[in-house]
Amino acid sequence: MRRIGVSKGIVAAIIIIIAIIIAAALSYKPTAPSKPTAPPKKKPPVTLTLPMKSDIVALNPLNPNTNTVWNVYVFWLVDPSLPLITLKSDWSDFTGWAAKSWEISAENGRTVFTVHLRQGMKWSDGKPITADDLIFSLNYVIEKDLAPTWKEMFDKAVKVDDLTVKIYLKDQYPLAYFWSYIPSIIPKQVYENVKDPVHWEPKISEYVGAGPYKLVKWVKGQYVELEKKDSWWGTSIWNGPLVDKIILRVIKTDDAILLALKKKDVAADTWYVPPTSLVMVNSLPYIKVITKADPGFYYLAFNLRKKPMSDLAFRKAIAYCTPKEEIVKTLLLGQAYPMPAAPISEFYAEHGYLAPNLPKYEFNLTKAKEVLEEAGYKDVNGDGWLEMPDGSPIKVTILTPSYDPIRVRAGEMIAANAKKVGLNVESRAVDFNTIVEDVWPSSGEPTFDMYILGWGVTDLEPFYLRDFFHSSQDVVVTHGMGLNSPGYNNSKFDEVIDAAVKTIDKNKRKQLFYEAEKYLAGDLPYVPLYSRAANYAYNIEDWAGWCAEWQNGPASWDNIWTFLHIHKAT
Amino acid sequence: MGLARYAIKRAVHSLALVFFVVSLDFVLFRCMPGNPIARLLDPRMKPEMKAYLMHLFGLDRPLWEQYLLYIKNLMTGNMGYSFITLRPVSEMIMDRLPWTLALMVPSVVFSLIIGTLIGVYASWRRGGLVDVTTTIVTMVFYAMPVFWLGGLLMLYFAVYLGWFPIAGAVTPGATYNSIFDEITDVVWHATLPMLALTLITVAYNFMLTRDVMLDAVSQDFILTAKAKGISEGKIMFKHAFRNALLPIVTNAVLSLAGTISGAILTETVFSWPGLGTLTYQAIEAQDYPLLQGLFFIYTVVTIIAIYFLDLTYGFIDPRIRR
């Protein structure tokens, strides 16, 4: 019995050790991030904590891999590259950031963008920000081949005085089109010594920026700490920022972010609230949830270079076999908008960019059968599947990305409906890379039949229609670089969309977009499926000054207006 | 065969195995569906930029040349550069390794100790209340998906009770007065993920110990020992447990070696910055150089563990050396 006592002793010892560890952990009170070190009367610093779903990648804004939303937080707040202009809080128009004002004129049918920089701007190393920095930046990104679209647009930049630069473009473009391509100002004194800007990485202690905050700590994989600058050139203009510290901490899952929001560990959910969590989030009295239409959209694309996808009747039949309403209702729990026949998401529709009276292809299997019959599709060999009017057999596949169950299921639903009308259509979930390889080969013709993917778009107006459908952007023509994956080639559409991106008058431009959309809705290179309704949650009990009208959400990566004006609620 | 000769023979075998697995990794990544470099080569990228990146990563060379270069670089400790961060892979792995060990080693040790002790006791009381209860409880935890158990632990212990933090390994922005403060902060953050891991893995150690102990206690020598009037505790630990030790030690060593790979799901659920989350990120971003580096480390550590295990067997039981 004595030996049994020893084993009990071992168990007891382990329990005591575990208990000590848990007790030590429970009794632990972390030193407040904002522990004051100054005289006792001074108020403790105000710290805003927000979640990031992934860590930032690097600190150099010219490294193409830093093009992530989490990196943009740091880039906007520290401004290692300083944007000239940005959008007003309601996205109704542009407003200056580094630019105090600007004029747009025309010389020999080409746009001249004259920029007047703000006076008194300084980099964090004390050097003034001048016309020389801007001209250096405009040329540097071309010299280093970092901005191909800008290279196509940009002609030259001429210094007028220390704060004024005339930027000459090669053609006539409206600001709404070219603004997002203008390179931001980078510190000349830093980059003129950098030969390979893609692979260069600055040290935190030498990180030069022009923004309201400075980067003080980056604990890799865990958090980024930003501290308000003692003096910033923008404070007198925007009366901000008001928060002393911003901590961006990595919380990888939606569930954990929402629990952190519930516990008030973070001030907002910086990602979309999943539809399944809306009930829980709505039940929290201190959290406000708002819904915004996402500009991006999801679509089914046809390979128009191959039969039967080259036949409009087949494409129309597939459009009639696509249950957009059901996809939205059952797969997205209603948190999305079914797309019209043209690829114009709800966001653009709300801003008046959806052409009136476009053809509708509402889910209707009878109509699909009629379209095919009228076009001469018949089951000639009696195998139970329809053949093309010329007798060619039909056996086609819809590729869907395996990482997204919604698109996988949508593909299956469309294929099942197509089978009901006699079309031998399969849906196959594959790795994203496989789709990219089939759709964007660097040589030869794309091999896919149909695929379902999505586009994230950030244009103010549907300029993306040119990238996605102009014949010059065909994947084959551009050796895998263009975005016109269907191989859509309609000279009338090309003419209209070319005119749209070069028309200065906004109303005339809108009419041209309408005309372009009519071609797309009639020819159906895409069956647009749905655009998402993005839900954003943020704490209104402890924090005030949110800029909720910003399209990407009140705590989004690019919502500088929130970061300038957010403060503790009284 | 002498122990030294045996050790050399096993070392040669292990090196050959490392070489084989490393070669297999190289081939596997090139046989995966899709193009491993498709992610890197954005369809909107200019041809000259594509060519530059292909050259930078050595992808413009013939496959055999890439393979030789890969082996040569590995031998010199160069695991290449991440496609995404463009940082050296070895540096990224070394950043995360301490965090993985800090979480995984205690979890595995707790799980081994608890699982083994209750396994020994349950086998001795086979069919009794303790045996049935511990079997059911450990199996219930074993069957739970970690993201669900992790979510529950967070909800109760972090949100409702407020005892522990929700995510991360340290308090963001905290300043520490001493190294003890820093360690305590890490332990405070590690408690919930450690608890989740221990609860989920304890069942395996419990069932293994229980099974091998049941075999041992049914042997004749145990009956003899009982007939001699030896105490239960002595029979259980000195006679039965010693005979059941070999598979338990094997499992313990392999479990400890397995800690290197982290726990992808647990680390992700609790946003723990270890090698598990790094592997997950690498898979998500299709960062093949990083994945190859991670697989290389996992392979080497596992093979070294097996090597030492083999030596231990050979030492304990000389018949194995023949």
Side-chain angles (χ1 to χ4, degrees), chain A residues 88-165:
Chain A
K88 284 185 173 172
S89 59
D90 60 356
W91 286 33
S92 61
D93 203 352
F94 297 100
T95 185
W97 187 251
K100 187 184 174 194
S101 61
W102 62 87
E103 294 105 39
I104 293 178
S105 54
E107 270 182 33
N108 305 321
R110 301 183 311 165
T111 298
V112 181
F113 183 50
T114 307
V115 181
H116 304 280
L117 296 174
R118 292 184 192 278
Q119 206 160 20
M121 289 192 298
K122 278 185 180 171
W123 296 108
S124 52
D125 61 2
K127 296 252 165 60
I129 299 167
T130 65
D132 293 328
D133 288 286
L134 176 56
I135 293 172
F136 170 79
S137 311
L138 298 175
N139 290 305
Y140 185 80
V141 292
I142 291 176
E143 186 192 314
K144 301 293 178 187
D145 212 4
L146 297 169
T149 313
W150 177 243
K151 193 176 179 178
E152 281 167 20
M153 285 182 182
F154 176 67
D155 182 17
K156 61 180 177 180
V158 176
K159 181 177 172 180
V160 177
D161 59 46
D162 271 354
L163 294 176
T164 311
V165 176

Side-chain angles (χ1 to χ4, degrees), chain A residues 31-275:
Chain A
T31 312
S34 49
K35 192 178 178 183
T37 50
K41 278 183 183 174
K42 195 176 171 184
K43 274 188 182 176
V46 176
T47 305
L48 174 76
T49 304
L50 291 171
M52 301 191 284
K53 284 187 84 173
S54 279
D55 196 7
I56 61 171
V57 174
L59 298 175
N60 171 17
L62 298 189
N63 172 347
N65 288 322
T66 58
N67 190 18
T68 72
V69 292
W70 314 116
N71 255 100
V72 173
Y73 274 110
V74 176
F75 291 162
W76 251 118
L77 294 165
V78 180
D79 279 343
S81 63
L82 184 66
L84 279 179
I85 55 173
T86 184
L87 291 166
K88 284 185 173 172
S89 59
D90 60 356
W91 286 33
S92 61
D93 203 352
F94 297 100
T95 185
W97 187 251
K100 187 184 174 194
S101 61
W102 62 87
E103 294 105 39
I104 293 178
S105 54
E107 270 182 33
N108 305 321
R110 301 183 311 165
T111 298
V112 181
F113 183 50
T114 307
V115 181
H116 304 280
L117 296 174
R118 292 184 192 278
Q119 206 160 20
M121 289 192 298
K122 278 185 180 171
W123 296 108
S124 52
D125 61 2
K127 296 252 165 60
I129 299 167
T130 65
D132 293 328
D133 288 286
L134 176 56
I135 293 172
F136 170 79
S137 311
L138 298 175
N139 290 305
Y140 185 80
V141 292
I142 291 176
E143 186 192 314
K144 301 293 178 187
D145 212 4
L146 297 169
T149 313
W150 177 243
K151 193 176 179 178
E152 281 167 20
M153 285 182 182
F154 176 67
D155 182 17
K156 61 180 177 180
V158 176
K159 181 177 172 180
V160 177
D161 59 46
D162 271 354
L163 294 176
T164 311
V165 176
K166 277 191 165 193
I167 302 171
Y168 292 81
L169 303 184
K170 286 179 183 165
D171 210 328
Q172 179 175 287
Y173 298 105
L175 181 62
Y177 181 64
F178 75 81
W179 79 283
S180 59
Y181 297 112
I182 309 171
S184 297
I185 309 174
I186 49 175
K188 185 183 171 195
Q189 70 276 18
V190 173
Y191 281 92
E192 64 187 354
N193 302 317
V194 177
K195 283 185 181 163
D196 180 4
V198 173
H199 299 98
W200 173 75
E201 181 66 0
K203 288 178 189 163
I204 292 180
S205 55
E206 296 164 7
Y207 199 36
V208 175
Y213 287 85
K214 60 185 174 193
L215 178 67
V216 291
K217 209 190 268 181
W218 174 18
V219 182
K220 290 193 176 76
Q222 301 198 50
Y223 68 90
V224 172
E225 187 178 337
L226 306 166
E227 200 173 84
K228 190 167 83 169
K229 280 182 183 164
D230 293 335
S231 70
W232 178 55
W233 53 265
T235 302
S236 58
I237 305 164
W238 294 294
N239 301 318
L242 305 171
V243 168
D244 302 305
K245 276 190 180 185
I246 294 179
I247 287 179
L248 302 164
R249 60 181 290 195
V250 177
I251 306 182
K252 298 192 83 69
T253 65
D254 285 323
D255 288 342
I257 290 176
L258 291 175
L259 288 177
L261 186 68
K262 185 174 174 146
K263 200 186 166 193
K264 298 186 174 181
D265 278 357
V266 295
D269 183 349
T270 46
W271 201 242
Y272 314 115
V273 179

Side-chain angles (χ1 to χ4, degrees), chain B residues 282-311:
Chain B
I283 294 169
E284 206 177 38
Q286 286 140 18
D287 192 343
Y288 293 99
L290 182 54
L291 274 177
Q292 279 184 174
L294 287 164
F295 278 40
F296 174 70
I297 294 287
Y298 302 159
T299 305
V300 169
V301 171
T302 307
I303 290 174
I304 289 174
I306 293 170
Y307 173 70
F308 282 108
L309 206 56
D310 280 348
L311 289 191

Side-chain angles (χ1 to χ4, degrees), chain A residues 14 25 65 249 252 263 480-481, chain B residues 43 47 83-84 113 158 167 188 271:
Chain A
I14 290 163
N65 288 322
R249 60 181 290 195
K252 298 192 83 69
K263 200 186 166 193
M481 282 175 1
Chain B
F83 277 175
I84 304 302
I113 293 174
W188 187 54
S271 307

Side-chain angles (χ1 to χ4, degrees), chain A residues 253 255-256 259, chain B residues 140-141 144-162 164-166 192-193 195-196 199-200 269-270:
Chain A
T253 65
D255 288 342
L259 288 177
Chain B
V140 165
F141 280 119
M144 280 183 187
V146 71
F147 58 85
W148 188 71
L149 178 64
L152 281 186
L153 291 175
M154 275 195 255
L155 187 65
Y156 285 98
F157 291 104
V159 178
Y160 292 158
L161 297 174
F164 297 104
I166 282 176
L192 287 186
L195 184 62
L199 288 174
I200 281 172
V269 167
F270 290 96

Side-chain angles (χ1 to χ4, degrees), chain B residues 16-26 28 70 295 299 303:
Chain B
L17 192 59
V18 169
F19 179 75
F20 174 74
V21 177
V22 161
S23 305
L24 192 68
D25 277 353
F26 181 85
L28 275 178
Y70 171 63
F295 278 40
T299 305
I303 290 174

Side-chain angles (χ1 to χ4, degrees), chain B residues 4-17:
Chain B
R5 208 172 148 201
Y6 176 72
I8 293 167
K9 191 180 158 195
R10 295 299 306 152
V12 173
H13 284 177
S14 299
L15 277 175
L17 192 59

